[in-house]
């Protein structure tokens, strides 16, 4: 589901808009920083949405349960997991940072509750506890 400007559109893997304002869904949301027009039948070619789609595919392949991918106010990738934890990836090296996520999640699974994993500095991951 792509959400832009208060409107949401159900899209397929090719980013073709299949429906506008679909019924409540458990599908992950892709939220670009800049607004895009969502029209049924149109293909979304915005580079931010393409990047979000590709990053979502990589996260799903790594078995990381995602509910939302978006960009923060600085244009950096932010991901929210199904349990509410946020992962801050920053604006570079996504492919290098992705393999760090699962080991960190596994290590923290039975410890203190946490709300975020900050991977913006790849050499110094930070866990933000509740």
């Amino acid at each position: 589901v792509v959400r832009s400007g208060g409107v949401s559109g159900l899209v397929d893997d090719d980013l073709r808009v299949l429906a506008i304002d679909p019924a409540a869904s458990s599908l992950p949301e892709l939220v670009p920083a800049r607004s895009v027009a969502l029209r049924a039948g149109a293909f979304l070619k915005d580079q931010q949405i393409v990047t979000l789609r590709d990053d979502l595919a990589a996260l799903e392949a790594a078995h990381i349960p995602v509910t939302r991918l978006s960009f923060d106010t600085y244009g950096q990738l932010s991901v929210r997991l199904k349990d509410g934890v946020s992962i801050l990836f920053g604006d570079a090296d996504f492919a290098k940072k992705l393999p760090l996520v699962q080991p960190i999640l596994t290590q923290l699974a039975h410890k203190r509750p946490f709300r975020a994993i900050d991977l913006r500095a790849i050499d110094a991951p930070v866990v933000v506890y509740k």
Side-chain angles (χ1 to χ4, degrees), residues 64-65 79-88 100-119 126-130:
I64 298 170
V79 173
R80 186 172 58 218
L81 305 182
K82 289 185 178 180
D83 61 3
V85 169
S86 293
I87 302 175
L88 309 173
L100 301 175
V101 175
Q102 199 61 36
I104 292 171
L105 290 173
T106 301
Q107 185 176 10
L108 295 173
H110 303 292
K111 302 198 184 226
R112 269 176 45 194
F114 63 102
R115 62 182 169 109
I117 300 170
D118 187 341
L119 298 174
V126 174
V127 175
V128 180
Y129 291 95
K130 291 184 179 181

Side-chain angles (χ1 to χ4, degrees), residues 1 12 17 31 39 41-42 45 48 52 55 61-62 65-66 84 87 91-92 122-123:
V1 174
D12 62 14
V17 180
V31 184
R39 293 185 334 266
K45 298 182 188 291
Q48 283 190 346
L52 291 171
D55 292 348
V66 176
I87 302 175
D91 61 356
I122 193 168
D123 295 331

Side-chain angles (χ1 to χ4, degrees), residues 37-55:
L38 298 175
R39 293 185 334 266
F43 286 89
L44 301 176
K45 298 182 188 291
D46 182 89
Q47 188 56 48
Q48 283 190 346
I49 296 173
V50 171
T51 298
L52 291 171
R53 186 234 8 230
D54 295 346
D55 292 348

